[in-house]
Amino acid sequence: MNPIIHELFQKSRLLSKELNQALKKHDLFAAQWTVIYCIFQHGEMTLTQIWKYLNVEAPTITRTVNRLEQMGWLETREGKDRREKNVRLTERAIVELAEISQTIIQFEDNALKNLTEEEEKLLMNLLKKI
Amino acid sequence: MNPIIHELFQKSRLLSKELNQALKKHDLFAAQWTVIYCIFQHGEMTLTQIWKYLNVEAPTITRTVNRLEQMGWLETREGKDRREKNVRLTERAIVELAEISQTIIQFEDNALKNLTEEEEKLLMNLLKKI
DNA sequence: CTATATTAGTTACCTAAGTAATCATTACCT
DNA sequence: AGGTAATGATTACTTAGGTAACTAATATAG
C-alpha cells in the first residue's frame, strides 16, 4: 500500500475541517465558499458552467446553489434557453466578499506556513501530475 | 486565493471517486477498505484506536465498523474494559484481502503513473509539511 | 414537420465526514 | 466508599459528495 494517497486524503480532510472552522464566523461552509468565489471570478454563470468548472457532479451544485440562494448569497433567474438557470451574487455577497477573502488568506497562509515559495510551486506541479 | 489547496481538494475528490470505482468489484467503498486495511496491519483494535490512527472522528468509525460487521468483513467482541469494543477481521476478510490488495496496487500504480520514484518521495515530504 | 436525441436541471437515495449531546463504564480524589 | 471526572461508544442531525432515474426544453435527422 502506497502511503501517498492516504496522506493526500488525510490532509484534504484536515484542511477542509480547518477551513470550515475558519469560515464559521461568516456562517459559511468551505464548499459553499468555493461556489461563491467561482461565481465572483466568472460573473453570472449557469449551473452547468459551475459544476464543470469545479469538477463535481450536477446534483452537488443544485443543492449548494439552492442553499446559498435561500441564505441570501446568490440569486438566480431563467436564461435565454429556458432550461438554463443563471446564478449571480447578491449585493450582500459582494459586500461581504472582502471580509471573507481576508479570512481565507489568513487560513491559507497558516496552512502553508511550513512551505517556501519554491516548495509551493513544486507541490502544485506534483499535484497536477496526478 | 491560493490555488494549491483547491488543487489538493480536487485531486482528493477525483482519487476517491476512482478508488470507489475500482473497489466496486469487491463490493467495498474506499473508506471501508481503509478500515479493513488498518485492522489488517494492526491486528485486533478498539474503535478508539482505529479513529485515532485514521485521524477521523469516533462516529465515523462506529458507522463504518457496524456496516462492515453486518457485511461480514469484521467481527467484534467486548473488551476487558466493558466500554471498549474490539474489532478484528473475519476469515472471509483475510481470504479476500489478497485479491483486494491486487486491485489497490493496480489503482495506485495507475494514479501515480506520471510520477517518478523521486517525485513520489518529494510529494510525500511536501504533503507532510502541510 | 415530426420523431428522436441531447442537454439542463432536479429528485431520490447512498456513502463519508463532521458536531453536539447522551449513555455506560471506569478512574480518580477526598 | 461515594461523588465527580474522564473515557469509549453511540445517536441524531448536518454538510458534501456520488449514481441512477427522471422532467422539461431544445436540437437534429429523416
Side-chain angles (χ1 to χ4, degrees):
Chain A
M1 289 276 297
N2 193 313
I4 288 186
I5 291 166
H6 189 240
E7 188 71 23
L8 200 146
F9 286 162
Q10 296 261 19
K11 293 303 179 190
S12 176
R13 257 206 319 274
L14 182 69
L15 286 174
S16 76
K17 202 167 155 182
E18 287 176 2
L19 184 48
N20 279 331
Q21 208 64 37
L23 283 171
K24 223 171 204 173
K25 62 166 169 280
H26 304 287
D27 199 28
L28 275 176
F29 287 91
Q32 296 172 340
W33 163 250
T34 303
V35 170
I36 289 175
Y37 188 72
C38 175
I39 297 168
F40 168 69
Q41 281 187 300
H42 295 82
E44 191 159 325
M45 297 175 85
T46 65
L47 293 195
T48 297
Q49 287 174 325
I50 297 172
W51 64 258
K52 284 193 173 161
Y53 178 76
L54 294 179
N55 245 298
V56 293
E57 300 300 319
T60 302
I61 295 306
T62 292
R63 280 185 298 257
T64 303
V65 165
N66 279 345
R67 190 87 181 85
L68 286 172
E69 187 177 11
Q70 111 194 22
M71 289 166 83
W73 296 94
L74 302 179
E75 54 193 17
T76 62
R77 59 194 184 80
E78 203 176 67
K80 188 182 62 184
D81 181 331
R82 283 167 55 214
R83 290 170 302 185
E84 290 177 354
K85 195 174 192 176
N86 288 76
V87 189
R88 63 180 169 196
L89 301 184
T90 59
E91 276 306 312
R92 175 202 157 198
I94 293 166
V95 169
E96 293 196 29
L97 225 143
E99 258 183 88
I100 305 175
S101 294
Q102 279 309 109
T103 298
I104 296 293
I105 288 169
Q106 205 173 316
F107 160 76
E108 288 171 347
D109 283 354
N110 187 263
L112 303 175
K113 65 171 182 288
N114 291 322
L115 296 182
T116 65
E117 288 256 337
E118 207 62 36
E119 288 173 325
E120 281 191 31
K121 276 183 194 166
L122 201 51
L123 176 55
M124 186 68 182
N125 287 331
L126 290 172
L127 284 175
K128 278 192 174 160
K129 281 192 178 182
I130 290 180
Chain B
M1 290 278 294
N2 194 313
I4 288 187
I5 293 166
H6 189 241
E7 188 71 23
L8 200 146
F9 287 162
Q10 296 260 18
K11 292 303 179 190
S12 176
R13 256 205 320 276
L14 182 69
L15 286 175
S16 76
K17 202 167 154 184
E18 287 177 3
L19 183 48
N20 278 332
Q21 209 63 36
L23 283 171
K24 222 172 205 172
K25 64 165 166 282
H26 303 287
D27 199 27
L28 275 175
F29 288 92
Q32 297 172 338
W33 163 249
T34 303
V35 170
I36 290 176
Y37 188 71
C38 175
I39 297 168
F40 167 68
Q41 281 188 300
H42 295 82
E44 191 159 324
M45 297 175 85
T46 66
L47 292 196
T48 297
Q49 287 175 326
I50 297 172
W51 64 258
K52 284 194 173 160
Y53 178 76
L54 293 179
N55 245 296
V56 294
E57 300 301 318
T60 303
I61 295 306
T62 291
R63 281 185 297 259
T64 304
V65 165
N66 279 345
R67 191 87 181 84
L68 286 172
E69 187 177 10
Q70 110 194 23
M71 287 166 85
W73 296 94
L74 302 179
E75 54 193 15
T76 63
R77 59 193 183 82
E78 204 176 66
K80 189 182 61 183
D81 181 332
R82 283 166 56 212
R83 290 170 301 186
E84 291 179 352
K85 196 174 191 175
N86 288 75
V87 190
R88 63 180 170 197
L89 301 182
T90 59
E91 276 307 312
R92 176 202 155 198
I94 294 167
V95 169
E96 292 196 30
L97 226 143
E99 257 183 90
I100 305 175
S101 294
Q102 278 309 109
T103 299
I104 297 293
I105 288 168
Q106 205 173 316
F107 160 76
E108 287 170 349
D109 284 355
N110 188 263
L112 303 176
K113 65 172 182 287
N114 291 322
L115 296 182
T116 64
E117 288 255 338
E118 207 62 36
E119 287 173 325
E120 280 191 32
K121 277 184 195 165
L122 201 52
L123 176 55
M124 186 66 181
N125 287 331
L126 290 171
L127 284 176
K128 279 192 175 161
K129 282 192 178 181
I130 289 183

